[in-house]
Amino acid sequence: MPKNNFFSACLLLMVAFSACVSSQKFSLEESARLECQGREAVLTEELSAQRQERERLTTQVADLSRKVGALEKTVADQESELAIKHRQMGESSDKMNTDMARLQSELGDRNARLARMNTALQLVTEAQEERNKTLNQLFENLKKQYSGKTGNDISIVLDGDHLVLTFSDKSLFGTNGMDVSAAGKENLRPLATLMTEKPELDAEIRTYTDNQVPKNKQFKDTWDWSLYRATNLVRVMIGDLRVNGNQLTPAGGGEFYPVAGNNTPEGRIRNRRTEILVYVPLPSLPAFIQKP
């Protein structure tokens, strides 16, 4: 389903929750909210599939390396066998010629397969190196763009195959803990500019909350609250900062991934945070790599 429809359904649910509605309307809106959560699950599954694909390629590189080593040993054994047979047989015979032809054919096939596997291994390795190079460039670029802002409120780290930007609650949201503030919009601008310049990038917007749902708000639980925050961030990045919606995926973590205890105000402040994960796709690889 297109993400714009997903965002529209979520906005309709939030607006509907803020008004006094009859019990019949509330049931309809509750159904819409459940449908929204279902669509969020679909997006989460798609993201998980992308991660599994990256993990599969990494595993494939290791498998190719092992197979290359085994084939190199086989080639050496075949060459040694040919040399031994040649010394033992002395003069040529029909059987020796047949065996020699067979062994040479097998050796040729194995050498050809070894060459294909070496090519595949080289291409996958180069693709991973190219992605890592791009990630490091993005990391340095963002550190420069956020120079003076990083610290307790904004941090940037390189985590494996992606970047993680972590924003404190006050660096993005207003006092109501739901709407993006003017300062928050400016804090998002360097990242938004980078994503508009590099449309191949994808970002997952993860928002987290403490365990106390805001009072006088139409939220059923902290999942609702966190998803509302995530979609608000995405709307600002699309509507105000001109990022392509296809690059963004909102996700709500609610209260369930705390970094501190929720029994103190300080701990709750730390738990109300936003993590933006930026991914760089692997370059396209030839189809033969799937079946070397």
Side-chain angles (χ1 to χ4, degrees), residues 195-221:
M195 297 196 70
T196 56
E197 292 173 351
K198 297 184 177 296
E200 71 275 12
L201 299 179
D202 292 317
E204 180 184 358
I205 315 297
R206 295 182 182 177
T207 56
Y208 301 94
T209 69
D210 57 40
N211 64 347
Q212 297 183 3
V213 179
K215 296 179 181 179
N216 302 321
K217 306 299 179 185
Q218 297 292 331
F219 296 131
K220 183 176 180 180
D221 50 34

Side-chain angles (χ1 to χ4, degrees), residues 251-265:
E255 66 191 85
F256 300 103
Y257 302 87
V259 294
N262 281 311
N263 54 340
T264 65

Side-chain angles (χ1 to χ4, degrees), residues 82-94:
L82 284 172
I84 293 172
K85 283 184 175 292
H86 183 73
R87 288 194 301 268
Q88 290 177 343
M89 295 298 295
E91 296 182 357
S92 298
S93 66
D94 291 342

Side-chain angles (χ1 to χ4, degrees), residues 29-281:
E29 290 157 1
E30 177 69 6
S31 297
R33 187 184 73 82
L34 292 175
E35 181 182 357
C36 177
Q37 289 181 333
R39 292 171 180 163
E40 179 193 1
V42 171
L43 286 174
T44 302
E45 290 177 359
E46 291 177 353
L47 180 62
S48 175
Q50 293 174 2
R51 290 177 181 164
Q52 291 174 1
E53 176 63 13
R54 287 193 292 272
E55 292 173 357
R56 188 189 64 76
L57 283 174
T58 301
T59 302
Q60 187 181 47
V61 168
D63 290 340
L64 286 173
S65 297
R66 288 193 294 271
K67 291 178 181 178
V68 165
L71 281 174
E72 287 176 341
K73 183 179 183 305
T74 300
V75 168
D77 291 343
Q78 292 286 347
E79 290 174 341
S80 177
E81 183 181 355
L82 284 172
I84 293 172
K85 283 184 175 292
H86 183 73
R87 288 194 301 268
Q88 290 177 343
M89 295 298 295
E91 296 182 357
S92 298
S93 66
D94 291 342
K95 185 177 183 303
M96 185 188 73
N97 289 337
T98 300
D99 289 343
M100 289 285 289
R102 175 181 58 78
L103 289 171
Q104 287 174 345
S105 177
E106 291 176 357
L107 181 60
D109 291 342
R110 287 189 171 94
N111 281 333
R113 189 180 179 199
L114 177 60
R116 291 196 301 272
M117 294 180 71
N118 278 327
T119 299
L121 178 60
Q122 180 180 356
L123 289 173
V124 171
T125 301
E126 289 174 353
Q128 290 181 323
E129 290 174 350
E130 183 65 24
R131 181 181 62 185
N132 291 338
K133 179 181 177 181
T134 301
L135 272 171
N136 280 287
Q137 290 173 344
L138 293 177
F139 179 56
E140 295 301 326
N141 188 348
L142 283 173
K143 282 202 304 184
K144 182 178 179 181
Q145 294 298 320
Y146 280 98
S147 177
K149 295 183 179 182
T150 54
N152 293 332
D153 290 330
I154 303 174
S155 68
I156 307 170
V157 297
L158 184 58
D159 185 9
D161 63 350
H162 61 278
L163 300 174
V164 181
L165 288 79
T166 303
F167 296 84
S168 68
D169 189 51
K170 68 179 182 180
S171 68
L172 291 181
F173 294 98
T175 55
N176 65 0
M178 296 180 296
D179 299 320
V180 180
S181 65
K185 185 186 302 183
E186 291 308 309
N187 284 334
L188 289 170
R189 192 177 298 278
L191 174 61
T193 299
L194 179 66
M195 297 196 70
T196 56
E197 292 173 351
K198 297 184 177 296
E200 71 275 12
L201 299 179
D202 292 317
E204 180 184 358
I205 315 297
R206 295 182 182 177
T207 56
Y208 301 94
T209 69
D210 57 40
N211 64 347
Q212 297 183 3
V213 179
K215 296 179 181 179
N216 302 321
K217 306 299 179 185
Q218 297 292 331
F219 296 131
K220 183 176 180 180
D221 50 34
T222 57
W223 286 112
D224 277 351
W225 181 19
S226 62
L227 184 57
Y228 186 90
R229 286 156 60 93
T231 52
N232 269 355
L233 285 172
V234 169
R235 289 189 185 98
V236 167
M237 293 185 74
I238 294 173
D240 297 340
L241 301 177
R242 305 304 180 189
V243 179
N244 188 329
N246 291 329
Q247 295 176 263
L248 305 172
T249 301
E255 66 191 85
F256 300 103
Y257 302 87
V259 294
N262 281 311
N263 54 340
T264 65
E266 294 78 13
R268 291 192 292 273
I269 288 173
R270 288 186 61 195
N271 288 333
R272 294 193 302 272
R273 69 197 188 279
T274 297
E275 294 177 358
I276 300 181
L277 283 62
V278 180
Y279 294 94
V280 177

